[in-house]
Amino acid sequence: MASVTQQQVQQFHKDGFLVLEQFFSAEECDSMRRQIQRIVAEMEVPPHCRTAFSTREEEQLQQQGSSDYFLTSGDKIRFFFEKGVLDEKGNFLIPKEKSVSKIGHALHAYDPVFKQITHSPKVQELGRKLGLERPVVVQSMYIFKQPGIGGEVTPHQDATFLHTKPLGRILGFWIALEDATQENGCLWFIPGSHTNGITRRMVRAASGASTCVEFVGSEPAYDDKQFIPLPIRKGGLILIHGEVVHKSELNSSESSRHAFTFHVMEAKGTTWSKENWLQPTPELPFPSLYT
């Protein structure tokens, strides 16, 4: 892989994203896919997905179970499913490897294959080229975008979910483990949309609230015509500024669109919001990107 040029770094600052084709080798992509197959093969369905519900109270308990499961996933490897793939007893209605929507949020910390990719020399070099002084890894996810059912991701900014003071300290690394096309749900961006700040935040709800998180503010209505698609081949990397507006469409194709993604924060002079759903823990403080 060729080194990133200053011109590309400038392009990133102008657009809020940067496409780097063939950043990772086919072998590296295949090693991640093989590892995720192992993880899925050993997966236990979480208890909150398994209970058959009758009363409203039990339903609330299930929601609480699933919200706790999500809220405490920052330092674990946990499973999130597509809608309608489990019956009320938690049995799979389709093959289980086709049921998972994503796995998060600490693959980078606890899985040797994903840890190696996250901290690979070329990622560290890219961080330095971008001028990151004290980057730390805050979360990672393996996204399946299953054929036929991989849901759309509505327009959003990552800083809505990962808020910092000041803004502009969050950076996403999005790695295509299979070709991402317009048919199977590639990412779409509004170039230059990272310069307007954010209008919506997801915060932890007050204890005792019916949901675990709530949104403050609202997402503006974006003009579909402003989005441009970024198809990318297997092994390609898309760098995503924390405030750039992006989305992906439903995958209605026959092929999946696997991706591994992780987020980095420039920790120097930055405050991580105590209201973010994701919090560092004593077991897993945010690890340095640089080793």
Side-chain angles (χ1 to χ4, degrees), residues 184-199:
N184 73 3
C186 71
L187 299 180
W188 295 65
F189 287 80
I190 301 181
S193 56
H194 60 303
T195 56
N196 306 327
I198 60 168
T199 56

Side-chain angles (χ1 to χ4, degrees), residues 9 24 42 51 63-64 111 192 203 219 230 250 262 265 291:
V9 172
F24 289 97
E42 293 167 13
T51 22
Q63 281 167 352
Q64 192 54 49
D111 182 90
V203 299
E219 203 65 57
L230 291 191
L250 172 79
F262 59 92
M265 171 180 73
T291 49

Side-chain angles (χ1 to χ4, degrees), residues 4-22:
V4 177
T5 63
Q6 268 322 104
Q7 194 180 358
Q8 286 174 308
V9 172
Q10 284 167 347
Q11 194 66 45
F12 171 72
H13 289 303
K14 177 173 170 275
D15 291 335
F17 58 85
L18 181 64
V19 176
L20 298 169
E21 287 280 8
Q22 296 178 318

Side-chain angles (χ1 to χ4, degrees), residues 46-70 209-212:
H48 69 83
C49 297
R50 273 191 283 223
T51 22
F53 282 107
S54 45
T55 69
R56 173 128 182 82
E57 193 176 313
E58 286 171 310
E59 227 167 87
Q60 286 174 332
L61 284 173
Q62 183 189 31
Q63 281 167 352
Q64 192 54 49
S66 76
S67 62
D68 289 346
Y69 185 79
F70 166 71
S210 58
T211 56
C212 60

Side-chain angles (χ1 to χ4, degrees), residues 158-172:
D158 293 341
T160 284
F161 307 95
L162 308 171
H163 192 265
T164 60
K165 278 193 172 126
L167 285 172
R169 300 301 172 88
I170 292 290
L171 178 62

Side-chain angles (χ1 to χ4, degrees), residues 113-152:
V113 172
F114 291 99
K115 187 175 195 171
Q116 194 180 1
I117 292 287
T118 303
H119 297 279
S120 56
K122 50 196 166 191
V123 169
Q124 297 192 37
E125 187 203 349
L126 181 51
R128 293 196 166 93
K129 283 268 163 64
L130 291 163
L132 300 176
E133 291 184 61
R134 277 186 35 220
V136 295
V137 187
V138 297
Q139 70 158 4
S140 55
M141 273 189 298
Y142 191 104
I143 302 168
F144 292 81
K145 200 77 166 181
Q146 300 282 7
I149 58 169
E152 69 167 333

Side-chain angles (χ1 to χ4, degrees), residues 84-87 91-95:
V85 299
L86 295 163
D87 67 17
N91 299 318
F92 291 103
L93 299 167
I94 60 172

